[in-house]
Amino acid sequence: MSNIEQVQQASNSPILWVLCGITVFVSVLQTVLYMRQCSKMTKEARIDPAIPKEAFRVGLISAIGPALGVFIVMVGLMASIGGPMAWLRLSIIGAAATELSAANIGADACGVALGSEQYTLLCLAVSWFTMALNGAGWLLFTGVATPSLESLRNKVSGGDMKWLVVLSGACSLGIFGYLNAGEILKGVGNTLAVLTGAVSMVILVKTVCKKVPKLMEYSLGIAMIIGMIFAVGYDQLFM
């Protein structure tokens, strides 16, 4: 049996599907409990039920674009590290490009290419271990530091809700700016996706959404899809 066949057989074994499924189930359960807690707090705070429903709908639409990107990368990961592990990693982390990079780093540490004939079971284990270590830091920091960060944010804002809104907005702009800067450096196609997405967002908000206010909640998702279409079109025509 070749190395590729051994890797495919081991990485898609039934027991692995069961073990990975446990973690995915826990993730789904956390989501359900979180939504339940949000619903409870909405009633206690006497918030209009229409507001959280609208927020949920906006988040759902906005998540379509990123979810498509994750799905596409997951298909590629399944061929290299197996369906169960790809399903697990992208269900709890969701950073498709990061997970693919981690798998490649593991393969490089063994001196082989991901998915090649020289990619043995040992290399597969190294890739899995690298992906786990890569995500462990995020999860650990989130669990340990989140309460402290909330207190720090309140101290920085001084209890001023207007300043808190500005601070949160600035943080969001910094995060997305950093992510977009990384994409721009990857080439023309990625740059085109960022620029067309940004321009589309401005046009939608300033023109279309003013005439059709209901489209405002879908504007982010629409802009992301437009950016993806332009990027794919460029790759098809010029690459």
Side-chain angles (χ1 to χ4, degrees):
M1 183 180 294
S2 66
N3 289 333
I4 294 179
E5 291 175 339
Q6 289 180 345
V7 168
Q8 288 293 327
Q9 183 176 352
S11 62
N12 292 285
S13 59
I15 185 62
L16 197 59
W17 279 106
V18 173
L19 294 174
C20 291
I22 294 174
T23 304
V24 174
F25 173 75
V26 172
S27 180
V28 173
L29 180 61
Q30 288 177 324
T31 303
V32 173
L33 292 176
Y34 180 79
M35 293 177 63
R36 181 181 177 185
Q37 186 66 22
C38 289
S39 178
K40 180 180 178 181
M41 291 302 298
T42 298
K43 294 179 181 178
E44 291 182 0
R46 298 180 180 179
I47 298 175
D48 185 355
I51 296 177
K53 288 182 180 180
E54 182 178 352
F56 180 82
R57 186 166 59 251
V58 172
L60 181 64
I61 297 299
S62 300
I64 293 177
L68 289 175
V70 171
F71 176 76
I72 292 171
V73 175
M74 184 176 71
V75 173
L77 275 177
M78 289 174 65
S80 303
I81 66 170
M85 188 57 66
W87 176 47
L88 167 66
R89 296 305 305 172
L90 296 180
S91 293
I92 62 175
I93 299 298
T98 302
E99 293 301 311
L100 182 58
S101 298
N104 276 304
I105 290 173
D108 291 340
C110 295
V112 300
L114 184 66
S116 66
E117 178 61 38
Q118 292 74 33
Y119 191 75
T120 63
L121 289 175
L122 177 60
C123 300
L124 176 67
V126 173
S127 289
W128 286 358
F129 189 68
T130 305
M131 296 167 74
L133 284 178
N134 181 59
W138 301 353
L139 297 176
L140 180 62
F141 181 81
T142 301
V144 173
T146 297
S148 300
L149 290 175
E150 180 67 19
S151 300
L152 177 62
R153 189 184 71 162
N154 290 332
K155 289 182 180 179
V156 171
S157 65
D160 187 344
M161 293 305 297
K162 292 182 179 180
W163 170 242
L164 186 59
V165 171
V166 173
L167 179 63
S168 300
C171 291
S172 298
L173 287 174
I175 292 171
F176 287 107
Y178 173 78
L179 293 174
N180 284 328
E183 292 300 318
I184 290 174
L185 295 175
K186 293 179 180 179
V188 178
N190 297 66
T191 302
L192 188 63
V194 172
L195 293 178
T196 53
V199 172
S200 299
M201 185 68 181
V202 173
I203 294 175
L204 286 170
V205 172
K206 296 296 183 180
T207 59
V208 180
C209 292
K210 287 186 176 180
K211 296 181 179 179
V212 187
K214 288 187 177 181
L215 282 179
M216 179 63 76
E217 59 192 64
Y218 307 111
S219 57
L220 178 58
I222 295 173
M224 294 173 67
I225 293 175
I226 292 175
M228 293 169 61
I229 291 174
F230 271 83
V232 172
Y234 172 84
D235 288 342
Q236 294 294 323
L237 293 173
F238 300 104
M239 299 298 289

